[in-house]
Amino acid sequence: MKLYADRVPVALRQLVTDILVVIWVYLWIKVALWIHDVVERLAVPGQKLESAGSGIADNLADAGGKVGRVPLVGDELTRPFNGAADAARSIADAGHQQQEFVAQLALILPALALSVPLALVLFLWLPLRLRWVRRAGVAAHRRSRRRGSRSRRRLDGWGVRPYRRS
């Protein structure tokens, strides 16, 4: 397998191109990680919303339980507290759903940002590079076979047979 050309300018160009492609992919991976971190920060309001909603719901349910002990009117007084506690729970659920949405977004956006550069490398640059490596390997193999047959012909011309291992 021959990775680089024999001529120095071509080999240098190939090496520089390979290094630039690796750096380019590395930078896009860093960008994708940065996008993930930025999007993950969007979950903080949802966490606060869930925490606040749960806390309010617990406090309202507790207050409703205490008011429910009041004789004669306790059941009537607990209804607004229970309704407010249910509303606070729905706020907490909204915060939780927002966090789940942000978590999904934090996976999808970096994947999209990374897919285009990787697709360019995998479908444009890499096939061309592998084709050159394959062709260069075949050419080097053919050259080495041709050299060997010439030296055998030269030896035959002098009446000398090449040494063959058995």
Side-chain angles (χ1 to χ4, degrees):
M1 179 188 320
K2 186 172 181 77
L3 295 178
Y4 297 103
D6 292 330
R7 295 184 329 173
V8 174
V10 177
L12 187 62
R13 180 182 49 87
Q14 290 172 333
L15 180 66
V16 168
T17 304
D18 291 351
I19 290 171
L20 287 176
V21 166
V22 169
I23 290 171
W24 192 60
V25 168
Y26 173 77
L27 289 176
W28 275 105
I29 290 171
K30 294 295 275 184
V31 166
L33 291 173
W34 176 78
I35 290 172
H36 180 270
D37 292 342
V38 168
V39 173
E40 276 291 319
R41 286 188 214 139
L42 296 175
V44 172
Q47 293 167 349
K48 291 181 179 179
L49 193 64
E50 182 181 15
S51 175
S54 296
I56 291 172
D58 292 342
N59 288 338
L60 286 171
D62 188 40
K66 290 179 182 176
V67 169
R69 292 188 214 139
V70 175
L72 298 177
V73 290
D75 291 338
E76 304 249 343
L77 292 175
T78 58
R79 254 186 251 138
F81 284 102
N82 289 340
D86 290 342
R89 281 190 198 94
S90 68
I91 290 173
D93 288 341
H96 182 73
Q97 289 173 355
Q98 191 261 348
Q99 290 176 62
E100 288 178 354
F101 177 74
V102 166
Q104 290 175 352
L105 204 60
L107 293 176
I108 292 171
L109 288 179
L112 288 175
L114 193 58
S115 65
V116 172
L118 286 182
L120 290 174
V121 168
L122 291 176
F123 298 122
L124 294 178
W125 175 80
L126 191 60
L128 294 174
R129 187 74 174 104
L130 291 176
R131 184 173 53 184
W132 187 92
V133 168
R134 188 184 67 234
R135 287 181 178 176
V138 168
H141 180 69
R142 286 182 182 167
R143 241 181 307 177
S144 69
R145 287 182 58 199
R146 238 185 279 139
R147 282 187 198 133
S149 65
R150 282 185 196 156
S151 65
R152 269 187 251 123
R153 273 188 261 137
R154 279 190 216 125
L155 291 175
D156 285 340
W158 286 90
V160 178
R161 294 187 183 247
Y163 174 74
R164 296 190 191 254
R165 295 181 189 177
S166 37

